[in-house]
């Protein structure tokens, strides 16, 4: 199988995904939109191809005889301002439409798209993939629209798909602040003895998935879960105040966490479908994930300080 990763320069998952594809000996290439005055990183010694429009992207797909596209072209919508969110949402939708058009032109077999559990909004009870979507935020709304376009292209052109609905991902550290999740930001603040940020919704429970578990879902989707949508979520959720407490408890530990650390609240998001069809389940507990993230960040900060000397 030949895989094309589109976009993701601002997406922390691209590096981890590239490494795992290499480990699995899956043939892949990377393509990103050419931007003026930008330097595209060739992570793990792999060339990043550039394109200007959907025709150039389709040419790349045909040149490398791509079987499956992983679309990381969407960027997180961080702003809460209506105008900014709307414009960002429109750009994300346009990016995926460009990828879909190129896939059809190049006769690609399948597209894998990372969506978000934010498409559900504030639904009650157990949340399954077949429930009506009621997104509240633009992040969920734009992903809902993209999901519908992907399904529409399947109906019109026979382009197969797998859609993965993720929560907040963490675990792959980036020096670029805009790429940090609230987990990495909080860990850095605690490590550097700065005030931790709990936000106004510090008591609200959130889902956090270690990036290695997210990558496993992508890898499973290469050959499984065709024309299906899956919740890819952990079994527990935590408030930001609980996250800070866990980080503080682990701050001086070099071994596995002690048993006494508090477990999170049970998640209402069902992953039974992913377990059955993808053979996927979350393998990294949140406490272990935080420990691994802390080790990563300590190492990265040490490297950064050495470079500045």
């Amino acid at each position: 199988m030949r895989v094309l990763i589109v976009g993701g320069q601002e997406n922390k998952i691209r590096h981890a995904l590239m490494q795992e594809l290499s480990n699995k000996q899956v043939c892949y290439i990377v393509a990103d939109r050419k931007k003026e005055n930008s330097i595209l990183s060739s992570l793990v010694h792999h060339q990043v191809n550039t394109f200007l429009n959907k025709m150039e992207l389709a040419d790349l797909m045909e040149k490398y005889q791509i079987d499956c596209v992983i679309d990381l072209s969407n960027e997180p919508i961080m702003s809460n301002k209506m105008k900014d969110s709307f414009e960002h949402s429109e750009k994300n939708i346009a990016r995926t439409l460009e990828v879909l058009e190129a896939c059809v032109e190049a006769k690609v077999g399948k597209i894998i798209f990372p969506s978000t559990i934010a498409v559900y909004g504030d639904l009650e009870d157990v949340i399954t993939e077949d429930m009506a979507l009621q997104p509240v935020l633009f992040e969920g709304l734009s992903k809902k629209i993209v999901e519908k376009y992907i399904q529409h292209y399947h109906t019109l052109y026979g382009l197969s798909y797998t859609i993965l609905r993720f929560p907040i991902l963490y675990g792959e550290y980036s020096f670029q602040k805009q790429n940090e999740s609230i987990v990495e930001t909080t860990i850095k603040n605690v490590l550097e003895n700065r005030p931790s940020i709990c936000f106004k919704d510090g008591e609200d429970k959130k889902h956090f998935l270690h990036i290695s578990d997210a990558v496993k879902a992508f890898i499973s989707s290469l050959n499984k879960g065709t024309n299906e949508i899956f919740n890819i979520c952990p079994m527990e959720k935590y408030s930001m105040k609980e996250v800070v407490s866990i980080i503080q408890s682990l701050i001086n530990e070099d071994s596995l966490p002690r048993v006494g650390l508090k477990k999170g609240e049970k998640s209402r998001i069902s992953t039974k479908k992913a377990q059955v069809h993808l053979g996927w389940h979350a393998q990294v507990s949140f406490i272990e994930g935080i420990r691994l993230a802390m080790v990563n960040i300590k190492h990265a900060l040490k490297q950064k300080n050495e470079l500045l000397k």
Side-chain angles (χ1 to χ4, degrees), residues 59-185:
D59 288 343
L60 277 173
M61 294 176 182
E62 290 178 345
K63 176 182 177 181
Y64 290 101
Q65 299 179 318
I66 297 301
D67 302 299
C68 180
V69 168
I70 298 176
D71 178 19
L72 302 182
S73 63
N74 279 207
E75 297 175 1
I77 299 177
M78 307 301 292
S79 174
N80 292 319
K81 295 180 180 178
M82 179 69 75
K83 182 177 183 295
D84 293 342
S85 298
F86 183 76
E87 289 177 353
H88 199 158
S89 177
E90 281 194 318
K91 287 180 182 178
N92 278 343
I93 294 167
R95 288 188 184 105
T96 294
L97 281 173
E98 183 175 57
V99 175
L100 289 170
E101 286 289 326
C103 285
V104 171
E105 181 69 26
K107 297 180 172 59
V108 169
K110 183 177 185 178
I111 183 171
I112 300 174
F113 179 73
S115 186
T116 172
I117 59 171
V119 295
Y120 294 116
D122 298 325
L123 295 178
E124 300 293 332
D125 301 322
V126 176
I127 297 175
T128 58
E129 291 86 348
D130 57 357
M131 299 183 83
L133 306 182
Q134 301 175 24
V136 176
L137 303 175
F138 265 101
E139 175 73 6
L141 178 58
S142 66
K143 288 291 198 299
K144 174 185 175 180
I145 294 170
V146 170
E147 285 188 15
K148 295 300 180 184
Y149 270 116
I150 290 171
Q151 292 172 314
H152 194 55
Y153 270 71
H154 168 65
T155 302
L156 288 178
Y157 306 108
L159 175 62
S160 296
Y161 65 88
T162 299
I163 294 170
L164 305 172
R165 291 175 178 162
F166 290 113
I168 297 169
L169 301 182
Y170 73 98
E172 182 77 10
Y173 181 72
S174 170
F175 284 123
Q176 295 178 309
K177 190 171 180 61
Q178 66 268 28
N179 292 352
E180 291 180 356
S181 77
I182 54 177
V183 175
E184 281 93 28
T185 300

Side-chain angles (χ1 to χ4, degrees), residues 220-232:
S220 295
S221 299
L222 293 176
N223 297 301
K224 299 177 182 178
T226 299
N227 302 328
E228 296 287 352
I229 298 174
F230 299 99
N231 293 331
I232 306 296

Side-chain angles (χ1 to χ4, degrees), residues 13 17 164 166-167 169-170 209-221 232 280 282:
I13 203 168
L17 183 56
L164 305 172
F166 290 113
L169 301 182
Y170 73 98
L209 186 71
H210 194 268
I211 203 159
S212 64
D213 281 330
V215 167
K216 288 181 177 68
F218 277 107
I219 299 299
S220 295
S221 299
I232 306 296
W280 181 92

